[in-house]
Amino acid sequence: MTGIPPNSSPDPDTALFSEDDLEAARVLFAQQASFMMGAVKMDGLPPGDVPEVAFAGRSNVGKSSLINALVGHKKLARASNEPGRTREINFFVLADRIRLVDLPGYGFARVSRSAADKFQNLGRAYLRGRPNLKRVYLLIDARHGLKDVDKEALDALDVSAVSYQIILTKADKIKPSEAAALVVKTQAQIAKRPAAFPRVLATSSEKGGGIPDLRAEIMTVCAA
């Protein structure tokens, strides 16, 4: 599994998903995916008539790369080397059935505090007022683990009462044993958080590790 633990279940002997589920998710994510729109205000959001999952995380944690890996497109979501470039909520539609939502990054290094607050407030407003939002995937760089700025995001998600799940990115950059230990540590760190989904996934957009399981997670939560 490209050097990444084969699953991130609390029970290491239990597979996350059946082969049928993984195949169904692969087929779903192989269908047409396209950019729908970017919104800078809440009144500019598309209708809430399609299940949505949102991706959040620090700048340069790999949100765009992960979205691209999920749908098998290298350039669907635009990655940038400039922290804080994503200053709007970007919507991508998959097979006319699911929307993948790229939220503004937090922890901006090159924008003013007031500007950063504006973008982050837009993300918070989306979390509070989006009834068709099924889950938020909070991306954490596996090389660093949860930082204080991430814990602020966890607090905001708990207050918003939106189900969220931790996804470790760039897990191929550390040893498999380190990735496995980080999964366990992170699960313990979020165990008492009311809105946190208890399973943590380790992924690599570059190598493909963990991507099939994440596709199946998204397919399952959007079908619920």
Side-chain angles (χ1 to χ4, degrees):
M1 199 57 181
T2 66
I4 295 173
N7 71 67
S8 304
S9 170
D11 180 352
D13 295 322
T14 302
L16 291 181
F17 298 98
S18 69
E19 291 298 325
D20 287 344
D21 287 337
L22 292 173
E23 176 60 14
R26 185 196 66 79
V27 171
L28 171 62
F29 277 82
Q31 297 185 52
Q32 177 67 34
S34 59
F35 175 73
M36 181 181 183
M37 63 173 294
V40 296
K41 296 181 179 179
M42 284 296 292
D43 58 9
L45 299 185
D49 55 352
V50 174
E52 294 174 353
V53 294
F55 299 85
R58 294 196 305 268
S59 300
N60 286 357
V61 74
K63 287 193 284 99
S64 297
S65 297
L66 184 66
I67 292 171
N68 288 337
L70 285 168
V71 300
H73 294 188
K74 292 183 178 180
K75 297 182 179 179
L76 178 66
R78 295 184 179 181
S80 173
N81 292 325
E82 179 183 351
R85 181 177 179 182
T86 303
R87 302 182 184 183
E88 58 189 11
I89 301 176
N90 289 315
F91 292 83
F92 306 89
V93 62
L94 172 66
D96 293 323
R97 290 172 51 187
I98 296 173
R99 291 189 194 128
L100 310 176
V101 184
D102 186 3
L103 295 177
Y106 56 85
F108 303 132
R110 299 179 186 174
V111 297
S112 69
R113 184 70 260 168
S114 60
D117 285 342
K118 177 182 177 181
F119 308 139
Q120 291 173 24
N121 286 340
L122 175 62
R124 291 189 187 99
Y126 168 82
L127 295 176
R128 290 193 301 266
R130 200 64 174 167
N132 57 321
L133 176 60
K134 297 296 186 177
R135 182 172 294 170
V136 174
Y137 294 99
L138 182 63
L139 277 52
I140 303 296
D141 192 321
R143 297 171 297 181
H144 308 302
L146 285 170
K147 298 294 186 183
D148 288 342
V149 67
D150 298 313
K151 293 174 182 177
E152 292 175 9
L154 295 176
D155 291 341
L157 288 164
D158 284 331
V159 169
S160 299
V162 175
S163 173
Y164 63 91
Q165 184 172 3
I166 302 294
I167 304 298
L168 302 175
T169 62
K170 307 179 184 181
D172 58 303
K173 306 299 184 183
I174 61 177
K175 296 178 181 178
S177 60
E178 293 174 338
L182 182 59
V183 165
V184 174
K185 177 182 178 181
T186 305
Q187 286 177 166
Q189 288 176 304
I190 64 171
K192 295 183 179 180
R193 288 188 171 273
F197 188 73
R199 186 161 55 228
V200 172
L201 293 180
T203 66
S204 167
S205 299
E206 183 176 340
K207 303 294 185 180
I211 298 301
D213 285 329
L214 181 52
R215 288 173 178 153
E217 288 274 15
I218 295 171
M219 179 186 71
T220 301
V221 75
C222 287

